Amino acid sequence: MNSRKFLLWLLILSIALIITLIISLGVGAVFIPPDRVFAVLVNPNQSGLDSSDIAIVRDLRLARVLLVTLVGAGLAAAGAAFQALFRNPLADPYIIGASSGASLGATLAIAFGLTWKFAGFRPIPLAAFLGALSAVFLVYIIAGGNSKATVISLLLAGAAVSTVLSSMVSLLMLTKSESTHEIFAWLMGSFSGRSWPQLWSSGPYLVLGILMLWLVSRPLDALSCGEDTARTIGLSISKARGVIIAAASLVTAAAVASSGVIGFVGLVAPHIARLLFGASHHRLIPASAIIGGLLTLLADDLARTLMAPYELPVGLITSLVGGSFFLYLIRARQRSLRGKS
Amino acid sequence: MTTFAIDQISCAYYQLPVLSHISFEVHAGEILALIGPNGVGKTTLLRTMARLMRPVEGKVILMDRDLWETSLRDTAKSLAFATQAGSDTWDATVEKIVALGRAPHRGWFMPLTERDRHIVKKAVEQVGLKDLHERISSELSGGEQQRMNLARVLAQEPSVLLLDEPTAHLDMKYQTEILHLIHKLAHRDGLTVVISLHDLNLAAIYADRVVLLNDGGIDAIGTPVEVMTSQRLTSVYGVPILVTRHPSRDIPFILPDIQLMEEADNE
C-alpha cells in the first residue's frame, strides 16, 4: 500500500470516527438526532436550539464520548506496541500486570472507602492508576530490571504478579461483601457517569502516551525482527524496551483509572489494523488507535442502548463482540493459510 | 591490513564454556570462513564478533577500537550481522525489512531519504528479490528469507559483514549466486566478510582463508589448501574424509571416504 492510499484510508476511518462520535452524542436515555447534535457542536448560540439538547450534548455526553474514544485509542496503541515488544500476537495492554494492579488499587479504595485525591484524580481512579503503574514496575523489577529483563522473564513475571494480585482482589471481595457489587461493576469496565473531570485527569496521559508510542514506531519495527537483529542495526534494547513499557503502561493505567478494565479492544484493534495496513508501526500505531477508538465508541453505544434505561458494562460488550470477532479473524486466517499450502 | 582482531577471547553460555582463548585477525577485503563440527561454537564466535554476546575474557577490536567501547550505532554503521534465517520474521514487506538496514545511518526518527531508497532497491535487486519486494516476509520460502536477510545487511553498507550459514536453506543456484555475490563484494568493493559454512567445498571455493574450530579452540587457520587436509579433517570431524584436488582450480575438493567407511563396517 503506498502512502497516498494509506492516507486516504486513514481519512476514511477518521470520518467514520467523527460520524460515530456525532451519533454517539445523540444516543442514550434521550435520543437527539444527528443534525441537532451537529448544530449544538458547531453553533450553540444560534436561535431555535433546545436548551436541554445543549445541556445533554455538551455537559453530559461530549466529555464521555471523547473519553471513550481516547481510552479505546490508547488501549489499542498500547496493545499494538506490546504485540511487537513481546513478539506475541496474544499480547494485550494488560499482559504485564496493569489490569490486576489497577483492580487491586480500585478494590482497596472501594473496600476501605479511601478519600485521597491527587492531580484531578478522584480516589478510585487514583488508586487504580497507581496500582497499575506499581504492578508494571514490580513486574519489570522481578523480571530483572533494565539490564537483565528478557521478553520471557517479563511475560512470566507478568503472569505471576497478575495471579497473585487477582487473588488478593478476590479475597477482598469475599471479606468485604458489602462492597462486592461496586467492585464487580468496576472490574467489568464502564463509562457510566464519566464526564469532564475524568476526561481532564486521564485524557492528557492517554494523548501523551499514544504520541510517545507513535514516536517509537521505528524501534518497534526493529524489535519485531527479533532482538538480535534490532541490536545489530544499532538499537539499545534495554532503553527502547524501557521507553515502550513506560509509554504503554502510562496509557493503560490512565485508561483503567478512568473506566475500569475494558477487555479485548487492545487485542483486537491492532489485528484489524494490521490486516488493513500491514505491520509497519508508523502506520499501525495511528491506525490501531483510530480503530480502537471507533470500536470502543460503538461498544459504549450498545452498552447504553441495548437494555436502556439500564446501562450494561462496556467491558461486557467489548469482550462479547470483540471475542466473537477475534474468533472469526482466527478462522478466516486459518482458511487463508490452508488455501496457501 | 587488519580490520578485525579477536584477542584472546573466551566465551561461555552461563557457566558452560564454549570457546577459550581464541585469537585471530581478519584482513580487509578477505573472506574468512569459520568451519568445524556442529556445536563447536561457530555461531557463538560470530555473535561475539557481532557484539551480541560479551566475551568472558579478551577483546574484540574493530578498526583499532574496542568493540564494546564504541556506541551501538557507530558499530552498526561498520558492522552488520545476518543471523540464521527462520527464527525471527516480522510480517512486513520485504522492502520494509530491508530498509531497516538503513537505521544506523538515518537514526530512529528520520524518514528514508531518496538515497536510502536507492540503496534499499539496489540491495533487493542484488539478491534477486526484485519481483518480490512487496511480498510479506512470512510468505517467502526459507531461501527467499535467507536472501532477504542478506539484502538487509547489504543495505546497512557495512565494511565488515558477518554471516551465519547464509546458504543453509538455498538450492544450488542460490548458494552459488549468493556466494558469488559475496565474493564480488569482497574482492571488488573491499568488503570484509566472516562467514560460517557447513559445506566444506563451498568454503574451499569461496574463502580466502578458513578457521577450523574444534574443542573450544582453533585447530588450524590458513588458506583452504593449508587447512583442509585429509588427516586433519578426519580427526576433527571424526569420520574418514578424503581430500583431492578440484578439477579446474588449485583448491581442495572434500568428500567422505566411503571406501574406508565400508572397510570399517566389514571388519
Side-chain angles (χ1 to χ4, degrees), chain A residues 85-338:
Chain A
L85 181 66
F86 293 110
R87 300 170 46 69
N88 186 337
L90 280 177
D92 72 359
Y94 309 127
I95 194 157
I96 48 171
S99 61
S100 58
S103 302
L104 183 62
T107 304
L108 284 169
I110 295 168
F112 296 102
L114 297 184
T115 54
W116 309 329
K117 286 184 189 178
F118 182 74
F121 277 121
R122 291 170 187 200
I124 297 170
L126 179 64
F129 187 71
L130 295 178
L133 291 182
S134 319
V136 170
F137 188 70
L138 186 67
V139 166
Y140 198 58
I141 297 301
I142 291 174
N146 215 14
S147 53
K148 283 186 183 157
T150 62
V151 163
I152 298 296
S153 70
L154 280 164
L155 285 175
L156 292 176
V161 168
S162 293
T163 308
V164 172
L165 298 186
S166 300
S167 63
M168 286 162 84
V169 170
S170 305
L171 187 69
L172 278 167
M173 282 172 79
L174 282 174
T175 50
K176 295 270 179 183
S177 54
E178 70 279 7
S179 319
T180 303
H181 186 77
E182 199 186 342
I183 295 170
F184 193 66
W186 190 91
L187 291 179
M188 300 282 284
S190 169
F191 291 101
S192 175
R194 309 299 197 275
S195 190
W196 293 104
Q198 289 80 10
L199 181 63
W200 288 125
S201 55
S202 281
Y205 298 108
L206 289 166
V207 173
L208 183 76
I210 294 170
L211 289 178
M212 275 169 74
L213 289 175
W214 197 17
L215 209 60
V216 292
S217 52
R218 289 214 175 78
L220 282 169
D221 284 353
L223 285 168
S224 305
C225 283
E227 292 188 358
D228 282 357
T229 298
R231 196 173 146 88
T232 56
I233 56 174
L235 185 73
S236 162
I237 305 295
S238 56
K239 257 188 230 164
R241 192 162 49 202
V243 172
I244 291 161
I245 289 180
S249 301
L250 193 66
V251 166
T252 311
V256 283
S258 65
S259 51
V261 181
I262 294 173
F264 263 100
V265 173
L267 176 68
V268 175
H271 282 285
I272 299 173
R274 209 174 282 114
L275 282 178
L276 289 173
F277 301 112
S280 173
H281 290 86
H282 195 57
R283 292 175 177 183
L284 187 60
I285 296 287
S288 299
I290 293 179
I291 291 170
L294 193 62
L295 290 180
T296 316
L297 209 48
L298 290 171
D300 188 51
D301 289 348
L302 284 178
R304 282 190 286 159
T305 49
L306 275 183
M307 295 186 63
Y310 298 106
E311 208 177 305
L312 290 170
V314 69
L316 199 73
I317 308 282
T318 57
S319 298
L320 201 66
V321 179
S324 317
F325 186 67
F326 201 53
L327 275 174
Y328 160 76
L329 276 186
I330 294 165
R331 294 283 304 167
R333 284 193 111 183
Q334 260 177 0
R335 264 202 294 277
S336 75
L337 284 177
R338 269 203 296 272

Side-chain angles (χ1 to χ4, degrees), chain B residues 1 18 81 129 180:
Chain B
M1 199 180 87
V18 180
F81 177 45
L129 287 179
H180 190 74

Side-chain angles (χ1 to χ4, degrees), chain A residues 1 87 215-216 218-222 224-237 274 278-281 283 333 340, chain B residues 47 50-52 68 72-73 76 79 81 83 87-92 96-97 100 103-104 106 108-111 138-139 152 156:
Chain A
M1 189 184 288
R87 300 170 46 69
L215 209 60
V216 292
R218 289 214 175 78
L220 282 169
D221 284 353
S224 305
C225 283
E227 292 188 358
D228 282 357
T229 298
R231 196 173 146 88
T232 56
I233 56 174
L235 185 73
S236 162
I237 305 295
R274 209 174 282 114
S280 173
H281 290 86
R283 292 175 177 183
R333 284 193 111 183
K340 210 176 64 179
Chain B
R47 285 174 60 83
R51 204 184 169 172
L52 289 172
W68 285 88
L72 271 172
R73 192 170 159 188
L79 182 69
F81 177 45
T83 50
S87 51
D88 292 316
T89 49
W90 173 37
D91 266 359
K96 290 264 181 227
I97 293 179
L100 276 177
R106 71 184 157 122
W108 292 104
F109 306 108
M110 292 294 144
S138 56
E139 293 169 1
R152 197 200 72 234
Q156 214 171 323

Side-chain angles (χ1 to χ4, degrees), chain B residues 172-185:
Chain B
M172 195 78 178
K173 170 181 149 77
Y174 284 118
Q175 276 189 356
T176 313
E177 284 190 3
I178 289 295
L179 287 170
H180 190 74
L181 171 66
I182 291 166
H183 192 259
K184 210 161 66 182
L185 291 169

Side-chain angles (χ1 to χ4, degrees), chain B residues 111-239:
Chain B
L112 289 174
T113 63
E114 219 25 68
R115 190 172 166 269
D116 288 327
R117 279 179 217 285
H118 176 75
I119 291 165
V120 169
K121 203 175 150 214
K122 197 176 128 203
V124 170
E125 282 173 12
Q126 274 181 322
V127 300
L129 287 179
K130 195 182 168 193
D131 296 335
L132 300 178
H133 72 281
E134 288 207 324
R135 200 63 85 71
I136 303 289
S137 71
S138 56
E139 293 169 1
L140 299 178
S141 70
E144 287 161 347
Q145 284 184 9
Q146 192 82 280
R147 287 186 281 144
M148 175 185 73
N149 283 349
L150 185 64
R152 197 200 72 234
V153 290
L154 290 180
Q156 214 171 323
E157 293 194 310
S159 47
V160 179
L161 191 54
L162 307 173
L163 302 166
D164 196 4
E165 289 289 345
T167 54
H169 299 285
L170 301 183
D171 63 22
M172 195 78 178
K173 170 181 149 77
Y174 284 118
Q175 276 189 356
T176 313
E177 284 190 3
I178 289 295
L179 287 170
H180 190 74
L181 171 66
I182 291 166
H183 192 259
K184 210 161 66 182
L185 291 169
H187 292 183
R188 189 192 62 193
D189 304 336
L191 184 68
T192 307
V193 181
V194 182
I195 182 172
S196 72
L197 284 171
H198 268 301
D199 190 321
L200 297 177
N201 283 311
L202 289 177
I205 293 170
Y206 289 102
D208 298 302
R209 293 194 303 147
V210 294
V211 172
L212 175 62
L213 294 169
N214 192 27
D215 278 341
I218 293 176
D219 193 273
I221 180 167
T223 63
V225 177
E226 291 163 358
V227 173
M228 295 172 161
T229 62
S230 168
Q231 195 190 5
R232 189 177 280 129
L233 293 179
T234 299
S235 108
V236 167
Y237 282 89
V239 284

